[in-house]
Structures are given as structure tokens and as C-alpha cells.
Amino acid sequence: MNKKEVLELKRRFKKESATFTRVCGCYVDGNRNKICKIGNTFLNLEEEEFYKYLEIANKSLSGTLGNNLLELSFPMEEEEVGGRQQILMALRETKLEDEALLDTYYDLVIDSYEHAGNYLILLFHDAYDVLSRTSDNLNLDESEEVYEYLICAICPVDLSKPGLGYLEEEKRIGARVRDWIVGPVDTAFLFPAFNDRSTDIHATLFYTKNTKEPHAEFMANGLGCAVEHTATEHKMAFHSIVRNVLGPEDEQTGEALLDIQQNLSEMIDEYQETHDEDDTFLLDREVVGKLLADSSIPEEKASRIEKSVEEAFGEKPPAAEHVIDAKALAQNELRVEKLALEDQVGSLTVQLNQKEDELKERTSRLVEKQEEIDSYIAETKTYDVVLRVKPEKASQIKSQVIDGQKCLVIPMEEDEHAAINGINTTV
């Protein structure tokens, strides 16, 4: 079943749309004893009960396909007389009216469902007149078939928490009476499956609340189907294999795991760009090998991981998207941002060091210049006359006695200028 088919059924689980014909159930205690049984025409239920039962039916088809919801197929022997699929077929055909058959089925559930406390087994019967649809999903006013189905839901029943309350008859605050409360659905299934908007008696849609530890024993013994694993189980198994091979948890192992998650996510995106929406990208040996190579996992460890993955999943490799850890991807984004910031800080540090070197060089030149100035000032204090001329002029300077005075003579061309004590002059 796909998401649209599940939603099509769930849209009927409302007050104005519900057509359940009957609801039956059996309350079982922690010692596997049947405490009481119920059976009612659904539309005759009290309003409050009506909504609570609808809520249970709705929850039985909730969650994510491939994780909370698993499609299980019946082996051929279960479809023969005495098989568990045949019991479900009989319950459907009798529309939950056969008390003896119901009692037999309650016993089957009790013998195959492992639960330490009390629980309630509920069975719903419904018949859905499936309307034909156009290619653009518009309903036509004609029926394709009547899809007749059952929903079985198993809900834990626990004592309410102890506490204080107002005792109205005694007009005082005292210990509240503890009641047995029916909790949310733990395990459920839809039979038959609603594949291609049609009855599929060879399959059932199984629901589990706990995706880490679904009731595999009920899949095998209660329904007679091969055990299917949830996406969460696939993810946990794959991550466990990788961690065990890479070694103890440290920064290097953590980064390798993040690289694997990021590369796998990118491989899934690339696959989806070139394939149909319904095609599944499987985590087979070839994909695992490429993934580990892209993630720079050493060849020896990569080979061990490939072998362990193949042994764990056998001929049924999981969908690649099932082993994606959203938290790990988010963590990797933070890691990439951190590395980018570190690179940016490193680049800024290099630039700062370059600026410091330039500043030191400029400071050194200023010091040299100041030393020249200081030297010049010292010279002007020591000598009566200090000359600074261009090198080509130095050889032209001569000493002559003019009017009985010793003079320094500097030849000057017409276009040449001189500065005497900082004042420009021409000759």
C-alpha cells in the first residue's frame, strides 16, 4: 500500500464518514485470562465511545510506511484451510457476528502476543464502496468494488496514576480512585490490504507503535507472516555494524559516521533525480561498497562492513533512506559550518599576520628615516654650512677665494633650482 491509499481509508474514520458495521473486543489480564468480551453495532455506540473507538481505528493506520506501517505477505500454507489467513477471511465473511469464531481468534492473539500487563483486543468491520477515479484522481459516481476489511488493534490497559482528588460525597480531598485506562494502540493490522485501491487478500498492513522493538512474535505467530523489520531497526543494525568495525567511539569514528550519512543522502538524491518516485534505492552490496569508498573508509574495514551488512540483511537489503539518520545529517551541517568558520578564522589570521608584518616593515622604515633626520639635525648643529646636492652636482663644487674670502662655488644652470634652509630660490 502507498500513502495515498492509507489516507483514503483514514479519511473515512470521522463521525460523518464512518461506516463501521461492528466493533468487538476482549479484555485480557496479565495472566492471559479473558476478563470480559464486548460486541456492539458501531453506529449504536454512545457518542463519547464512538469517538474513542474511531480514534483507535485511526491510530491503527498512522505513522510512516516502512517504519510504523509494514506490509506483510501471507505464505501459501496460511491461505489453506486452518491457516491464519483463512481465520481472518472467515471473520470478515461473518462480519464479526460468529461468537465462537471470535473466541477462537482471541485465543490465537493471546497465545502469540507477548505483553506483561493487561490489554484490550479490538476488531472493527467495515465495507467501503470504492468509487472509480479518473486519471486526475476525480471520483466518478460509479463503484469499482466493495472493499470489505477488518482492523485489529491491541491496546495496553494500565492503572491510572495515583493522586489526590476531591471526594464529592465526603466533601474532602483524598486518594483518587485508580481506574484501568485503555492506552494508545500498541500493535494493529489491516486485513486485507488495500493495494491499487482494491482488495488484496494475500497481504496485510501491520502497525507498530514501537519501531525499535515491534512485536515480531505476533507477525510470525499471530499472522503467520515472515517478519519484516522497521526502518528504525534497519538504521540501528547498520549503524551498529559500522561502529563495531570502525572501533571505539571517538572523534575520528564520529566524523566517519557523519561522512557516511552525508554521502548516502547525496547518493539517494542523485538516484531520485533519474528514477520514478515509486522506485526504491536499495542498500545492496554494490551501493555499500561505493558509499564506503566515497567516505574514505580503509579498504580492510570497508570489506568487513560489506560482509557484515550482507549477513545482516541477506537477500532483502533495506531501502537506503531507512538508514538515514536525520539528527546525524543536522549534526553534519553544524560540523561543516564549524569547519568553514575555522577556515575563515584561519584566513583572517593569515591576513592579520601579513598586516602585522607590513606594519613592522613600515615602522622600521620610519625609524630609519627618523635616524636620518636626527643625523641631519646633528650635522647642522656641528657645521656652519651643510650642503645636500644631487650626486651629479657633487663633482662640480669647487673652492675659490673671492674678494679675499674662501668660498664654495656650485655652478647652476638657468633651469636649476636650489633650496636654502627650506626656501626655494633661483639663481
Side-chain angles (χ1 to χ4, degrees), residues 351-419:
Q351 293 179 27
L352 181 60
N353 290 335
Q354 291 175 344
K355 292 294 183 182
E356 289 179 349
D357 291 341
E358 292 175 3
L359 182 60
K360 288 179 180 178
E361 186 177 349
R362 289 180 62 188
T363 302
S364 177
R365 289 200 299 267
L366 288 173
V367 169
E368 291 177 0
K369 195 68 175 177
Q370 185 63 46
E371 289 176 349
E372 290 180 8
I373 293 171
D374 293 342
S375 174
Y376 174 77
I377 293 173
E379 287 178 357
T380 58
K381 292 180 179 179
T382 305
Y383 301 96
D384 296 318
V385 177
V386 176
L387 292 177
R388 287 186 179 277
V389 297
K390 294 180 179 179
E392 58 268 22
K393 278 288 183 184
S395 60
Q396 298 177 16
I397 300 174
K398 297 179 181 179
S399 176
Q400 288 183 3
V401 176
I402 300 174
D403 296 333
Q405 294 287 324
K406 191 175 181 179
C407 300
L408 289 175
V409 179
I410 304 173
M412 298 287 290
E413 300 293 336
E414 291 184 1
D415 59 346
E416 289 182 330
H417 299 269

Side-chain angles (χ1 to χ4, degrees), residues 36-137:
C36 73
K37 289 178 281 187
I38 59 172
N40 294 288
T41 301
F42 197 81
L43 296 178
N44 290 342
L45 292 169
E46 295 291 336
E47 185 172 15
E48 190 171 344
E49 291 183 20
F50 184 93
Y51 283 112
K52 289 298 181 183
Y53 282 120
L54 271 184
E55 185 180 326
I56 290 173
N58 186 63
K59 193 64 179 178
S60 299
L61 296 181
S62 63
T64 307
L65 286 166
N67 200 26
N68 302 96
L69 295 169
L70 305 172
E71 187 164 316
L72 309 179
S73 298
F74 292 102
M76 289 299 298
E77 57 268 23
E78 295 300 333
E79 298 189 9
E80 298 173 356
V81 176
R84 279 156 281 199
Q85 186 256 22
Q86 283 294 293
I87 298 176
L88 293 173
M89 291 288 287
L91 286 169
R92 186 183 71 144
E93 289 169 6
T94 58
K95 297 176 173 50
L96 304 181
E97 297 283 359
D98 189 327
E99 292 296 333
L101 186 59
L102 283 168
D103 211 43
T104 299
Y105 191 71
Y106 295 147
D107 289 336
L108 173 61
V109 174
I110 292 169
D111 290 339
S112 58
Y113 181 74
E114 295 180 3
H115 182 71
N118 299 3
Y119 58 90
L120 176 65
I121 305 168
L122 286 175
L123 286 166
F124 300 81
H125 175 270
D126 191 17
Y128 171 32
D129 195 8
V130 183
L131 296 179
S132 300
R133 283 186 175 175
T134 62
S135 57
D136 53 356
N137 286 328

Side-chain angles (χ1 to χ4, degrees), residues 194-208:
F194 187 56
N195 283 320
D196 297 325
R197 302 188 70 239
S198 183
T199 302
D200 182 359
I201 63 172
H202 307 295
T204 179
L205 188 66
F206 179 86
Y207 165 81
T208 178

Side-chain angles (χ1 to χ4, degrees), residues 235 239 260-261 264-265 268 320-326 329:
K235 179 171 64 177
H239 288 195
I260 288 173
Q261 285 289 302
L264 182 57
S265 178
I268 293 172
E321 62 182 345
H322 286 178
V323 301
I324 288 292
D325 187 338
L329 289 180

